[in-house]
Amino acid sequence: HSFHAIIEELVLGDTNYTVQSQCSSEFEFEGASKGFEGAVGFPDASGDLYILGLCEGNHCSEKRKADAGNGRMVLMKKKVGDDIPGGCIWETLRTIHIPKSAYFIDYSAIDISDDGRVVITSQENSELWIGQVTGIANGIIDPDAFEFHSSAGNVLQFPKSEDCHTVYCNIEGIHWMNDEMLLGVSDKMKGRGRQNFRCLEKDQSIHAFVLP
């Protein structure tokens, strides 16, 4: 089995949103569960939008998803045409390796600031990685120059309980609020005994974290 992710472009209103377009990604995922778990978009100097999709599994793979330290991102640009099924597709420009210092079992969310500072989270590890990229300045991307700084990168754990148990078990959204503060969002705790009961307190919540 395989599938292609669907990328939606939205127009936000005060109390709701409308879907402007729905386009499939050219990138093909094996299996049916590990796809893009996060994405960020930047315009280039001409105003064309590029999307960086964060693969949930290592190697962008279902079979090799747990091979830690092999995170990947996919750089994409939209192509529109009457000869394309659905009228549009997000073409794969290239696959980008995340530095091995982000030694995670999975990758659950990403944000990149306008000056190229990156944060990537892992749900399974309950950790985040902070690094830097080239090719983004003042909110503009140079798609040919986009790369991670291989020498930069620092891993931090999300706060633990007083007796050092993991409580932030389901972080699936992250956002730079400023240079020193991050906004995190937790998904619902997995049921039927698949996660420790301690995960319940922080699930389905918004969290503010100050960097040390």
Side-chain angles (χ1 to χ4, degrees):
H1 298 287
S2 63
F3 74 96
H4 299 265
I6 303 296
I7 297 173
E8 294 185 340
E9 294 179 68
L10 310 177
V11 177
L12 302 180
D14 292 335
T15 59
N16 56 18
Y17 66 88
T18 55
V19 178
Q20 189 176 45
S21 69
Q22 291 180 316
C23 305
S24 173
S25 68
E26 180 184 28
F27 191 88
E28 185 175 5
F29 290 95
E30 63 185 50
S33 65
K34 299 296 180 187
F36 291 130
E37 192 75 349
V40 287
F42 288 94
D44 68 3
S46 301
D48 293 329
L49 180 64
Y50 291 78
I51 285 182
L52 291 148
L54 174 70
C55 293
E56 180 179 4
N58 284 281
H59 302 281
C60 288
S61 170
E62 177 75 23
K63 294 177 182 177
R64 297 190 289 165
K65 62 186 179 183
D67 183 18
N70 290 284
R72 302 288 188 267
M73 296 187 70
V74 180
L75 178 63
M76 298 171 282
K77 184 180 181 182
K78 187 165 70 172
K79 182 178 181 181
V80 178
D82 294 336
D83 58 333
I84 300 172
C88 57
I89 191 169
W90 283 94
E91 287 189 316
T92 299
L93 301 181
R94 57 193 171 98
T95 301
I96 298 159
H97 290 222
I98 298 169
K100 283 188 174 293
S101 54
Y103 196 79
F104 295 153
I105 298 171
D106 74 335
Y107 304 83
S108 63
I110 185 171
D111 194 27
I112 304 177
S113 69
D114 285 350
D115 60 357
R117 198 177 187 203
V118 185
V119 57
I120 296 175
T121 61
S122 171
Q123 177 179 273
E124 295 289 340
N125 293 83
S126 190
E127 293 176 336
L128 60 86
W129 178 88
I130 294 175
Q132 186 72 33
V133 296
T134 57
I136 290 181
N138 301 315
I140 302 297
I141 189 170
D142 179 347
D144 295 326
F146 183 91
E147 289 291 349
F148 284 92
H149 282 194
S150 59
S151 60
N154 186 32
V155 174
L156 300 171
Q157 292 185 342
F158 285 107
K160 304 292 186 182
S161 67
E162 290 183 359
D163 50 358
C164 210
H165 288 286
T166 297
V167 290
Y168 290 93
C169 311
N170 300 95
I171 296 290
E172 294 213 353
I174 199 72
H175 176 70
W176 287 109
M177 297 179 69
N178 55 48
D179 289 343
E180 302 297 331
M181 185 176 290
L182 290 163
L183 185 74
V185 180
S186 289
D187 197 0
K188 185 177 181 179
M189 173 184 168
K190 295 179 176 67
R192 300 181 180 178
R194 289 180 293 167
Q195 284 188 312
N196 189 284
F197 71 92
R198 296 179 181 88
C199 298
L200 180 61
E201 180 183 354
K202 304 294 185 183
D203 86 337
Q204 300 183 97
S205 305
I206 297 173
H207 321 279
F209 303 104
V210 177
L211 297 178

